[in-house]
Amino acid sequence: MQSSQPPELVISGIGVTASIGQGKEAFRSALFEGRHSFRVMERPGRQRGTAFLGAELPELSIPPSIAKRTLRTASLTGQAALVTLQEAWQDADLASVPPERVGLIVGGSNVQQRELVQTYESYRDQAEYIRPNHALAYMDSDVCGLCTEQLGIKGLAYTIGGASASGLLAVIQAIHAVRSSQVDVCVALGALADLSCFELQAFRSLGAMGSSRYAGDPSGACRPFDASRDGFIYGESCGAVVIERAESARQRERVRPYARASGWAVAMDGNRNPNPSYEGEVRVIQGALREARLSARDIDYVNPHGTGSIIGDETELRVLHDCELSHAPINATKSIIGHGLSAAGTVELIAALLQMQASRLHPTRNLDEPIDPRFRWVRGEPVAHEIGHLLKMSMGFGGINAAVVLSRYNS
């Protein structure tokens, strides 16, 4: 007689590339030190008579396993995906897993906008000479093709778009793919959202991105949950997590799971606009806790969405308080790395995992005057803290709310 108990799902590998460092060790070190790289952005196509602030990746260190000819036709988004997935792949020791039983979910849509703008401008007056592979490269699915070709993935692969919730949605979709036995292992990738000057200007005009208030002080511009916040500050990043059954991970001696995926939920607001929804955020937290079979009191760390939005930050804290989560320590990863948009949920989940592993919480930069003092804020210095169960939230334009609960894995 088969057991009706759902399989125990774990995160068995991670990979991360961010403005503060490439690879989990560099990323972890910078997180706990509160190191940042906010400045006026310099990547071609980011400015047009402007001085937008942000945090850009350092030059990527490319592993020898990735051929130079592959890189020549890969966008920045594709290159970041390749190096990030390579780290997660090795971390989870996936070389022995049959390729037909491995899947890939790429979180993000329209993730190569700067690359497209650069291409259009280069070929504006000579469209007949445009590179033939542009017919492939302009599509988000090309990121799937690039990564599956490099790693030999033959199970399933597709993109999933949910604006700034995309990265966490990819994790949830990977969980579903393994839980339903579509594949044995599924990698969730939060793709680097490569913005051009047009998207940056539109975000600013919308009032979502920070203004020029901190033009003379880039280090002070990104300030989630602070009384002086005035919008998000963009930060390039890419993250990958490997989801599989615990029994599968145990078959590979080198693998030490980071955590158990115990609860998850997605809830829609029924609203196209970018404004947050108190009701939607409450429902998604309650749904994730219900799936995890935990109460709010069981959660002992919250990694919030926390963008620095005027309305968004206030709404999120009101939701967390009313869901009885104000007892749990809270910090804001975006204060260190900026807002990665499509990658944010995956990269911040990795930050939460590294904190769980280290029994230590990273500081929140620029949190000089918290807008709600009732919370247990981790402010200027890291603090020691054991995490048994954590909650990660992500919200996206279009009324998308996502939440994941992770629990300490006991082998």
Side-chain angles (χ1 to χ4, degrees), residues 151-191:
L151 294 170
I153 294 171
K154 296 182 179 178
L156 56 84
Y158 52 86
T159 61
I160 183 167
S164 295
S166 297
L168 209 57
L169 285 177
V171 173
I172 293 171
Q173 196 63 29
I175 288 170
H176 287 311
V178 174
R179 199 182 200 194
S180 62
S181 298
Q182 294 177 67
V183 288
D184 296 330
V185 176
C186 198
V187 187
L189 175 81

Side-chain angles (χ1 to χ4, degrees), residues 5 8 10 32 36 93 128-129 139 148 192 213 256 264 278 281 284 304 309 344 380 386:
Q5 193 75 6
E8 184 180 31
V10 298
F32 290 127
H36 73 91
D93 194 21
E128 67 273 21
Y129 294 109
M139 293 185 271
T148 55
L192 186 151
R213 184 197 300 185
R256 298 291 180 270
W264 50 88
Y278 171 88
E281 293 179 28
V284 84
S309 159
E386 292 285 336

Side-chain angles (χ1 to χ4, degrees), residues 1-228:
M1 182 176 177
Q2 290 186 334
S3 171
S4 59
Q5 193 75 6
E8 184 180 31
L9 303 181
V10 298
I11 295 176
S12 59
I14 61 175
V16 63
T17 305
S19 58
I20 58 175
Q22 178 181 335
K24 66 177 181 179
E25 298 305 332
F27 183 72
R28 182 198 339 247
S29 174
L31 270 183
F32 290 127
E33 292 175 19
R35 234 184 309 128
H36 73 91
S37 63
F38 294 109
R39 55 185 169 82
V40 175
M41 292 187 284
E42 299 176 352
R43 206 176 289 288
R46 288 272 160 81
Q47 310 288 357
R48 184 166 292 200
T50 52
F52 295 125
L53 303 179
E56 295 174 316
L57 299 182
E59 184 175 352
L60 293 174
S61 174
I62 308 296
S65 58
I66 301 175
K68 289 183 179 179
R69 60 180 174 78
T70 300
L71 295 173
R72 278 198 297 269
T73 58
S75 65
L76 176 65
T77 298
Q79 291 180 31
L82 287 172
V83 299
T84 305
L85 277 171
Q86 190 77 44
E87 182 184 25
W89 192 271
Q90 293 175 349
D91 195 32
D93 194 21
L94 295 181
S96 62
V97 180
E100 295 82 5
R101 300 302 301 163
V102 181
L104 170 68
I105 311 293
V106 175
S109 55
N110 307 317
V111 291
Q112 304 178 90
Q113 293 300 99
R114 186 187 63 89
E115 184 89 7
L116 296 179
V117 169
Q118 294 289 91
T119 298
Y120 298 154
E121 292 187 346
S122 297
Y123 293 93
R124 183 197 306 268
D125 300 319
Q126 47 181 356
E128 67 273 21
Y129 294 109
I130 198 165
R131 301 187 315 268
N133 82 317
H134 179 67
L136 304 173
Y138 85 91
M139 293 185 271
D140 295 331
S141 58
D142 189 50
V143 179
C144 291
L146 186 70
C147 294
T148 55
E149 180 180 75
Q150 175 66 32
L151 294 170
I153 294 171
K154 296 182 179 178
L156 56 84
Y158 52 86
T159 61
I160 183 167
S164 295
S166 297
L168 209 57
L169 285 177
V171 173
I172 293 171
Q173 196 63 29
I175 288 170
H176 287 311
V178 174
R179 199 182 200 194
S180 62
S181 298
Q182 294 177 67
V183 288
D184 296 330
V185 176
C186 198
V187 187
L189 175 81
L192 186 151
D194 191 5
L195 302 187
S196 78
C197 58
F198 296 112
E199 290 76 50
L200 292 167
Q201 183 60 62
F203 276 129
R204 176 172 285 186
S205 299
L206 188 64
M209 195 173 80
S211 70
S212 57
R213 184 197 300 185
Y214 293 95
D217 178 24
S219 68
C222 193
R223 43 197 326 114
F225 302 116
D226 185 73
S228 296

Side-chain angles (χ1 to χ4, degrees), residues 103-387:
L104 170 68
I105 311 293
V106 175
S109 55
N110 307 317
V111 291
Q112 304 178 90
Q113 293 300 99
R114 186 187 63 89
E115 184 89 7
L116 296 179
V117 169
Q118 294 289 91
T119 298
Y120 298 154
E121 292 187 346
S122 297
Y123 293 93
R124 183 197 306 268
D125 300 319
Q126 47 181 356
E128 67 273 21
Y129 294 109
I130 198 165
R131 301 187 315 268
N133 82 317
H134 179 67
L136 304 173
Y138 85 91
M139 293 185 271
D140 295 331
S141 58
D142 189 50
V143 179
C144 291
L146 186 70
C147 294
T148 55
E149 180 180 75
Q150 175 66 32
L151 294 170
I153 294 171
K154 296 182 179 178
L156 56 84
Y158 52 86
T159 61
I160 183 167
S164 295
S166 297
L168 209 57
L169 285 177
V171 173
I172 293 171
Q173 196 63 29
I175 288 170
H176 287 311
V178 174
R179 199 182 200 194
S180 62
S181 298
Q182 294 177 67
V183 288
D184 296 330
V185 176
C186 198
V187 187
L189 175 81
L192 186 151
D194 191 5
L195 302 187
S196 78
C197 58
F198 296 112
E199 290 76 50
L200 292 167
Q201 183 60 62
F203 276 129
R204 176 172 285 186
S205 299
L206 188 64
M209 195 173 80
S211 70
S212 57
R213 184 197 300 185
Y214 293 95
D217 178 24
S219 68
C222 193
R223 43 197 326 114
F225 302 116
D226 185 73
S228 296
R229 74 202 182 283
D230 76 339
F232 79 80
I233 302 299
Y234 169 65
E236 293 179 342
S237 61
C238 181
V241 300
V242 178
I243 307 289
E244 62 181 308
R245 288 180 171 83
E247 61 189 41
S248 166
R250 283 194 290 266
Q251 293 174 10
R252 303 190 303 284
E253 290 184 7
R254 287 180 45 219
V255 177
R256 298 291 180 270
Y258 289 85
R260 181 166 52 86
S262 50
W264 50 88
V266 178
M268 300 299 294
D269 300 335
N271 178 19
R272 176 191 180 190
N273 296 310
N275 52 299
S277 165
Y278 171 88
E279 292 79 10
E281 293 179 28
V282 167
R283 283 192 296 114
V284 84
I285 288 175
Q286 292 175 341
L289 290 174
R290 188 164 53 248
E291 176 69 31
R293 300 181 183 180
L294 296 173
S295 72
R297 296 300 304 177
D298 294 319
I299 300 297
D300 40 32
Y301 167 64
V302 172
N303 188 286
H305 189 52
T307 65
S309 159
I310 300 296
I311 301 175
D313 283 9
E314 290 182 356
T315 302
E316 187 172 10
L317 291 184
R318 186 158 64 95
V319 167
L320 290 170
H321 177 269
D322 291 356
C323 287
E324 301 183 342
L325 286 160
S326 54
H327 68 280
I330 182 173
N331 53 16
T333 302
K334 287 183 180 73
S335 72
I336 300 174
I337 65 173
H339 191 350
L341 303 172
S342 52
T346 315
V347 174
E348 291 159 23
L349 193 73
I350 291 168
L353 286 167
L354 293 174
Q355 291 174 95
M356 175 183 274
Q357 187 182 58
S359 298
R360 196 174 180 220
L361 304 180
H362 71 67
T364 304
R365 297 185 60 259
N366 298 323
L367 190 57
D368 300 329
E369 187 182 347
I371 58 175
D372 191 335
R374 295 175 293 181
F375 285 82
R376 292 178 58 189
W377 295 107
V378 184
R379 295 176 66 179
E381 299 292 334
V383 299
H385 182 68
E386 292 285 336
I387 302 173

